Amino acid sequence: MMNQFKQILVHARIALLAAGVLVGYAVKGQTVICVAPEGSDAADGSAQHPVATLEAAIRVLEKRPAADSATLQLAGGTYRLTAPIMLDDTSPIAKWKHVALKAADGQQVVISGNRLMEGKWQAAGDNLWKCPVEGVFNQLFVNGKRATRSRYPNAGEWLEPDSINFGKHELYFQGKLPAAFEKIKGAELHATGMWHWNRQYIERFDGKKQRVVTVTYPGTEASYTKIGKRDRVHFENAKAFLDTEGEWYLDREKRLLYYFSKENPDDQVFEYPGLTQLFRLSGSASQWISDFSIKGITFEGTEWDMTAVERKGLQAGFWGTGRTDSVYAPPAALSLAWVANSRITDCTFRNLGEGAISLGDGCAYNAIEDNRFEDVGSNVIQIGYRRAYLGKGHPLHLDFEDAALVSHHNLIRNNVLDNFGTTDRGAVGIWIGYAHNNRIDHNRITNFPYAGINVGWYWGTDTTLVATHCHHNTIAWNDISKGMRYLSDGAGIYLVGNQPGTVIHDNFVHQIGGGFTITSGIYVDEGGANMTITGNYFDALDNPNEAHAIKLHKNAIPTMTIYNNGGEYRVQPIHTNPAYKYGKYAEVRLVRPPFPRLYGAQEK
């Protein structure tokens, strides 16, 4: 009877989330702290005397006796952070029943990690300008748009290696490397590795032998799949690459920024990020932060970091080096841990070097609704987030031993994810690792280089079904388009491992393709088992080698339930790839749904 009561309570909470109601929300004594760009941090935070910064507003609130409800209300303007906002379980805010961070009604509020560039431009050659800067950075934004870091070949183009000597760290590009490149120092190699995205330092260019020598092993040693002759390569971060309008290069030693432009750039606004994270909300197992809401805020301007181990991709934005070395996940602008019954709504996340939102340890019954994400560098939303860990046997295999750490019953609804994976092309839109009972529905996900949604984090076999904390997740009514534009071996929706109770229904996946091999609408990979796939539509899947609506690789086929997809009312037959016995696919016709507007983000 007690177990039945717990189950009823769980379903009741999910119903309240779906209806947009927060469990435990109460309004008795309302406390409002006002923030405005023209305020003073010496003020009391009243409407008549607002403080000027979010940091000051938090200090004011922490001095108030904890009560039912408090609001940090931001007037319109840009609030530039010099350090991330960090709130944990030791903050008095954790004891409030409900705290809201919101934009004043009708106001445009931006929380930014960007620094304004204030130097004067000087001519430095034909169409070349230079300006002194204070910071060191990997990204530059001009008039609110990402500028192209100096690269060869230019944006939209790439090279393919003729051969690779992994032991000597050599990639050969016959007839493709200008002799002038031999003098370049500090440049980077950016390369696909099938589904990996690798960023690493170049030791030198060798024009005579037409080779590039990397500082470390080309790509990751942690994966059996290496950089190959069909992979796409370009080089970044050298003054010699500057030849196209809007390209830039930073001389880190001299702190000089170079910009290629036919016009004097003095009249444009230049910004560069100084932070990798903007806001962290972190409770604990003994003191959760509950009923925290963020509404109507724009978050922008975070940096991506090459890191001491470079950025050699493994899967879905995660990177590492050797099979026995640590694995790292991309950080997020807004990071939550031990947070429950909270909401992030009507916000915009843009111009980010890494991810947008991560839900880490103990995050449950939270909602991410009605937000817009544009130009996000890495994984947009991550559930089950863990910054770094050492896998067991496989680089990615490390489930939670303590069930309390697992993220669960979170809702991702009615968001627009447009143009992500802009710095890490192996990134995905929505990632769920070892987490359960989460729901992803009515999102529009478009313009991305690899996968749109990735659920599961255990690569098994078709005969050994491993139970993990990834189960009973739902993916429904999403519109996923213009994906797999650069990498290969992925899908609009990618799942891996044994996931009992997981259901993928009524999604529209279309215009997927652009990598050199293996494109899928839905792809269930190694050890896939105990899922239901039904009611989905697929159209315009493009790949010259292999493209399937539903691809199944090393799945426990008898445990999979696949029916009524592509507008047909039948159990879909399963066929085997004659060239590869583990490669199977469901027979599904490609057709648009009769009412496409029902899919993706809906008008309020």
Side-chain angles (χ1 to χ4, degrees), residues 118 133 197 216 258 281 290 388 440 540 543 545 579 597:
E118 299 177 347
V133 294
W197 179 245
T216 62
Y258 289 88
L281 194 62
S290 186
I440 305 170
N543 191 281
N545 294 299
R597 291 185 180 180

Side-chain angles (χ1 to χ4, degrees), residues 455 470-475 495 499-504 530-532:
V455 180
C470 184
H471 57 83
H472 289 90
N473 295 297
T474 300
I475 306 170
L495 307 102
Q499 300 186 35
T502 288
V503 180
I504 308 97
N530 293 302
M531 304 176 211
T532 297

Side-chain angles (χ1 to χ4, degrees), residues 32-193:
V32 178
I33 308 298
C34 294
V35 192
E38 69 275 10
S40 168
D41 282 356
D44 61 7
S46 64
Q48 296 77 21
H49 302 98
V51 294
T53 65
L54 184 55
E55 295 92 332
I58 291 169
R59 290 194 297 269
V60 170
L61 186 59
E62 288 182 334
K63 293 177 182 178
R64 304 284 178 89
D68 288 333
S69 181
T71 297
L72 305 177
Q73 181 171 286
L74 279 66
T78 298
Y79 298 83
R80 297 188 184 275
L81 303 181
T82 57
I85 302 294
M86 312 285 274
L87 297 176
D88 60 23
D89 59 334
T90 65
S91 168
I93 288 178
K95 295 180 169 52
W96 286 72
K97 290 185 178 179
H98 173 72
V99 175
L101 172 64
K102 67 183 291 289
D105 292 345
Q107 302 287 303
Q108 298 294 319
V109 173
V110 178
I111 293 178
S112 177
N114 280 334
R115 300 173 182 174
L116 277 173
M117 215 180 77
E118 299 177 347
K120 198 75 174 175
W121 289 97
Q122 301 173 345
D126 291 342
N127 299 324
L128 197 61
W129 304 83
K130 64 181 180 180
C131 183
V133 294
E134 294 182 359
V136 173
F137 46 89
N138 292 319
Q139 298 168 107
L140 183 71
F141 300 97
V142 182
N143 297 330
K145 300 293 183 182
R146 181 184 298 276
T148 301
R149 197 173 182 224
S150 62
R151 53 170 286 167
Y152 179 87
N154 288 321
E157 303 174 12
W158 63 82
L159 305 177
E160 295 176 358
D162 295 293
S163 62
I164 304 169
N165 186 323
F166 289 98
K168 294 184 177 180
H169 305 173
E170 298 171 334
L171 294 87
Y172 287 83
F173 300 88
Q174 297 300 327
K176 302 168 186 174
L177 300 181
F181 284 8
E182 291 195 8
K183 298 180 180 180
I184 290 175
K185 302 292 184 183
E188 298 166 5
L189 173 84
H190 291 219
T192 61

